[in-house]
Coordinates of all heavy atoms in Angstrom, one line a residue:
S458 N -118.2 -32.1 -202.4 CA -118.4 -31.7 -203.8 C -119.2 -32.8 -204.6 O -119.3 -33.9 -204.1 CB -117.0 -31.5 -204.5 OG -116.3 -32.7 -204.5
Q459 N -119.7 -32.4 -205.7 CA -120.6 -33.3 -206.4 C -119.8 -34.7 -206.8 O -120.4 -35.7 -206.6 CB -121.1 -32.7 -207.7 CG -122.2 -31.7 -207.5 CD -123.5 -32.4 -207.3 OE1 -123.6 -33.7 -207.2 NE2 -124.6 -31.7 -207.1
P460 N -118.6 -34.6 -207.2 CA -117.9 -35.9 -207.5 C -117.8 -36.8 -206.3 O -117.9 -38.0 -206.3 CB -116.5 -35.4 -208.0 CG -116.8 -34.1 -208.6 CD -117.8 -33.5 -207.7
H461 N -117.6 -36.1 -205.1 CA -117.5 -36.9 -203.9 C -118.8 -37.6 -203.5 O -118.9 -38.8 -203.3 CB -117.1 -36.0 -202.7 CG -117.0 -36.7 -201.4 ND1 -117.4 -36.1 -200.2 CD2 -116.6 -38.0 -201.0 CE1 -117.2 -36.9 -199.2 NE2 -116.8 -38.1 -199.7
L462 N -119.9 -36.8 -203.5 CA -121.2 -37.3 -203.2 C -121.7 -38.4 -204.2 O -122.2 -39.4 -203.8 CB -122.2 -36.1 -203.1 CG -122.0 -35.1 -202.1 CD1 -123.1 -34.0 -202.2 CD2 -121.9 -35.6 -200.7
A463 N -121.5 -38.1 -205.5 CA -121.9 -39.0 -206.5 C -121.2 -40.4 -206.4 O -121.8 -41.4 -206.5 CB -121.8 -38.4 -207.9
T464 N -119.9 -40.3 -206.2 CA -119.1 -41.5 -206.2 C -119.4 -42.3 -204.9 O -119.4 -43.6 -204.9 CB -117.6 -41.2 -206.3 OG1 -117.3 -40.4 -207.4 CG2 -116.8 -42.5 -206.5
E465 N -119.5 -41.6 -203.8 CA -119.9 -42.3 -202.6 C -121.2 -43.0 -202.7 O -121.4 -44.1 -202.2 CB -119.8 -41.4 -201.4 CG -118.5 -40.8 -201.0 CD -117.5 -41.9 -200.7 OE1 -117.8 -42.9 -200.0 OE2 -116.3 -41.9 -201.2
M466 N -122.2 -42.4 -203.4 CA -123.4 -43.1 -203.6 C -123.3 -44.3 -204.5 O -123.9 -45.3 -204.3 CB -124.4 -42.1 -204.2 CG -125.8 -42.7 -204.5 SD -126.6 -43.2 -203.0 CE -127.1 -41.7 -202.2
L467 N -122.5 -44.1 -205.6 CA -122.2 -45.3 -206.4 C -121.5 -46.4 -205.7 O -121.9 -47.6 -205.8 CB -121.3 -44.9 -207.6 CG -120.8 -46.0 -208.5 CD1 -122.0 -46.7 -209.2 CD2 -119.8 -45.4 -209.5
K468 N -120.6 -46.1 -204.8 CA -119.9 -47.1 -204.0 C -120.9 -47.9 -203.1 O -120.9 -49.1 -203.0 CB -118.8 -46.5 -203.1 CG -117.6 -46.0 -203.9 CD -116.7 -45.1 -203.0 CE -116.3 -45.7 -201.7 NZ -115.3 -44.9 -201.0
W499 N -115.0 -36.7 -212.2 CA -116.2 -36.3 -212.9 C -116.0 -34.9 -213.5 O -115.2 -34.1 -213.0 CB -117.4 -36.1 -211.9 CG -117.8 -37.4 -211.2 CD1 -117.1 -38.1 -210.2 CD2 -119.0 -38.1 -211.5 NE1 -117.8 -39.2 -209.8 CE2 -119.0 -39.2 -210.6 CE3 -120.1 -38.0 -212.3 CZ2 -120.0 -40.2 -210.6 CZ3 -121.1 -38.9 -212.3 CH2 -121.1 -40.0 -211.4
E541 N -129.9 -43.4 -208.5 CA -129.6 -42.6 -207.3 C -128.3 -41.8 -207.5 O -128.0 -40.8 -206.7 CB -129.4 -43.4 -206.0 CG -130.6 -44.3 -205.8 CD -130.6 -45.7 -206.5 OE1 -129.7 -45.9 -207.3 OE2 -131.4 -46.5 -206.2
V542 N -127.4 -42.2 -208.4 CA -126.1 -41.5 -208.6 C -126.4 -40.3 -209.4 O -126.5 -40.3 -210.6 CB -125.2 -42.5 -209.4 CG1 -123.8 -41.7 -209.6 CG2 -124.9 -43.7 -208.6
D543 N -126.5 -39.2 -208.7 CA -126.9 -37.9 -209.3 C -125.7 -36.9 -209.3 O -125.1 -36.7 -208.2 CB -128.0 -37.3 -208.5 CG -128.4 -35.9 -209.0 OD1 -128.2 -35.6 -210.2 OD2 -128.9 -35.1 -208.2
A544 N -125.3 -36.4 -210.4 CA -124.2 -35.4 -210.5 C -124.6 -34.2 -211.3 O -124.0 -33.8 -212.2 CB -123.0 -36.1 -211.0
L611 N -128.2 -37.0 -198.5 CA -127.1 -37.4 -199.4 C -125.7 -37.2 -198.7 O -124.8 -38.1 -198.8 CB -127.1 -36.6 -200.6 CG -126.2 -36.9 -201.8 CD1 -126.4 -38.4 -202.2 CD2 -126.4 -36.0 -203.0
S615 N -123.0 -40.1 -197.7 CA -121.6 -40.0 -198.2 C -120.5 -40.2 -197.1 O -119.4 -40.5 -197.4 CB -121.4 -38.7 -198.9 OG -121.2 -37.6 -198.0

Side-chain angles (χ1 to χ4, degrees):
S458 62
Q459 282 284 5
H461 178 218
L462 297 179
T464 311
E465 292 302 315
M466 182 59 74
L467 174 62
K468 287 167 57 176
W499 296 76
E541 306 88 351
V542 180
D543 176 28
L611 186 58
S615 76

